[in-house]
Amino acid sequence: MELHDVWFVLIAVLWIGYFFLEGFDFGVGVLTKLLARDRSEKRVLINTIGPVWDGNEVWLLTAGGATFAAFPEWYATLFSGFYLPLLIILVCLIVRGVAFEYRAKRPEENWQRNWEQAIFWTSLVPAFLWGVAFGNIVRGVKIDREMEYVGSLWDLLNPYALLGGLVTLTLFTFHGAVFAALKTVGDIRVRARSLALRLGIVTAVLALVFLVWTQADKGDSWSLAAMVVAAVALVGAIGAIRIGREGWSFALSGVTIAAAVAMLFLTLFPNVMPSTLNPEWSLTVTNASSSPYTLKIMTWCAAVATPLVLLYQSWTYWVFRKRIGTQHIAEAAH
């Protein structure tokens, strides 16, 4: 296996890690409006992800940086062609971080309500737009012989990509509801399980249509195997949350995300951005990659840094592993 193939796999792993981790905190952000009934319950939900949301975004920064260094042509075409949706995602992530930090800085109800609205919308919009973006990457876009995107914004708003956005939005919200059930106690935990069950059914229908469409259009035996894993894991996650096994449900919803993202990358390879104008103009792992020397240096750096990041993030989740409920919010306020 060539180094550019290795880095294609590593970038896929980084996106899997990002969607697994950021997926549930996007979902929790959406649930601040769908699940929480009052200010205390919103604080409970926000506190479940408070210690980890910024660490989860490290995976996005690493995926973007790895793409820039390993596949500069892919990075350039992607960020120029998808400029507006990616800019919206970036703005949402910035505002979302500010909202988490500023929400409790002042006691006025309007101040806190406005930042809570910001958390909801800046969680919902990226959760949808990431699905739209990856749907277009897999489907293919208008790339000319100069490796430049020549389509318009409206070309990105096609039925396949919009369905992909609905899938990521519902899947991340389901993932977040399971996480909320796993991390809370009391009435909010019961309602989170109930909502997760309903969300899981909607997610299963949308995801099945999207994955079958993907497989029929671009799939092979490997992507079919990943699709089966994703489908079985999602059904298992729904069944586990139904009987109150939040830990198993969360693990299986994570497997669903991992298998679904793996399927998308499997359907791409060896392309990184297919061209709908001419298959010969597609960006591939070969024509979009950096020099072998650059990839070699990157590989050594990743071998040293990746274990350290994984150890630190695992330690963070271990430290903040306990459940919380509204009674803890009341004690803290008192």
Side-chain angles (χ1 to χ4, degrees):
M1 180 181 287
E2 300 290 336
L3 279 179
H4 51 65
D5 298 330
V6 171
W7 274 98
F8 180 84
V9 174
L10 291 177
I11 288 172
V13 171
L14 290 171
W15 280 108
I16 288 172
Y18 174 65
F19 286 142
F20 175 80
L21 296 171
E22 188 88 301
F24 72 74
D25 71 45
F26 279 150
V28 170
V30 174
L31 292 175
T32 56
K33 187 173 287 291
L34 300 183
L35 179 63
R37 289 178 174 174
D38 54 33
R39 183 62 38 82
S40 293
E41 290 190 349
K42 288 182 180 180
R43 289 183 62 187
V44 168
L45 291 175
I46 292 171
N47 286 354
T48 62
I49 59 174
V52 298
W53 67 267
D54 48 354
N56 294 343
E57 292 185 357
V58 170
W59 290 79
L60 173 62
L61 299 175
T62 308
T67 304
F68 172 77
F71 299 99
E73 294 289 350
W74 182 14
Y75 182 92
T77 303
L78 176 64
F79 278 81
S80 60
F82 293 18
Y83 180 80
L84 183 57
L86 292 178
L87 177 63
I88 293 173
I89 291 174
L90 177 60
V91 171
C92 284
L93 294 180
I94 293 171
V95 174
R96 188 168 179 264
V98 173
F100 282 131
E101 297 298 332
Y102 276 35
R103 177 192 166 277
K105 296 298 184 184
R106 290 171 56 178
E108 292 88 344
E109 184 174 346
N110 286 340
W111 171 273
Q112 295 191 3
R113 184 188 301 114
N114 289 337
W115 286 119
E116 288 164 0
Q117 289 282 354
I119 290 171
F120 170 75
W121 287 108
T122 56
S123 298
L124 184 148
V125 172
F128 175 75
L129 287 181
W130 279 127
V132 174
F134 271 84
N136 278 294
I137 292 172
V138 172
R139 173 180 174 270
V141 292
K142 294 180 179 179
I143 299 175
D144 64 12
R145 65 172 66 248
E146 304 298 327
M147 297 185 181
E148 294 181 358
Y149 177 71
V150 294
S152 66
L153 174 63
W154 303 111
D155 293 323
L156 303 179
L157 303 178
N158 55 80
Y160 176 80
L162 293 175
L163 177 60
L166 291 176
V167 170
T168 52
L169 175 58
T170 54
L171 180 56
F172 291 168
T173 308
F174 168 71
H175 195 42
V178 174
F179 181 78
L182 180 65
K183 288 288 293 179
T184 57
V185 294
D187 181 60
I188 192 172
R189 176 188 178 190
V190 175
R191 285 187 283 112
R193 284 203 306 241
S194 176
L195 181 58
L197 183 59
R198 297 195 298 273
L199 285 169
I201 295 172
V202 175
T203 301
V205 173
L206 293 174
L208 180 62
V209 175
F210 180 75
L211 295 179
V212 169
W213 190 346
T214 304
Q215 177 65 27
D217 189 35
K218 296 179 176 293
D220 57 16
S221 57
W222 288 101
S223 61
L224 177 61
M227 185 187 78
V228 171
V229 171
V232 171
L234 181 55
V235 172
I238 296 170
I241 199 65
R242 185 174 183 275
I243 60 175
R245 301 298 297 270
E246 296 103 338
W248 280 105
S249 183
F250 182 71
L252 288 169
S253 65
V255 171
T256 301
I257 292 173
V261 176
M263 178 188 177
L264 296 183
F265 276 90
L266 286 168
T267 59
L268 268 179
F269 188 81
N271 295 321
V272 293
M273 283 191 77
S275 172
T276 57
L277 299 179
N278 187 334
E280 295 182 359
W281 298 344
S282 298
L283 300 181
T284 68
V285 294
T286 303
N287 65 21
S289 69
S290 294
S291 67
Y293 182 71
T294 300
L295 297 177
K296 184 176 180 179
I297 293 176
M298 290 176 59
T299 303
W300 282 108
C301 292
V304 174
T306 302
L308 297 177
V309 173
L310 291 174
L311 285 172
Y312 173 77
Q313 197 160 25
S314 299
W315 175 78
T316 302
Y317 277 91
W318 175 255
V319 169
F320 295 100
R321 67 189 181 278
K322 292 184 178 180
R323 295 176 182 266
I324 62 173
T326 54
Q327 65 271 29
H328 302 108
I329 298 298
E331 290 174 4
H334 178 70

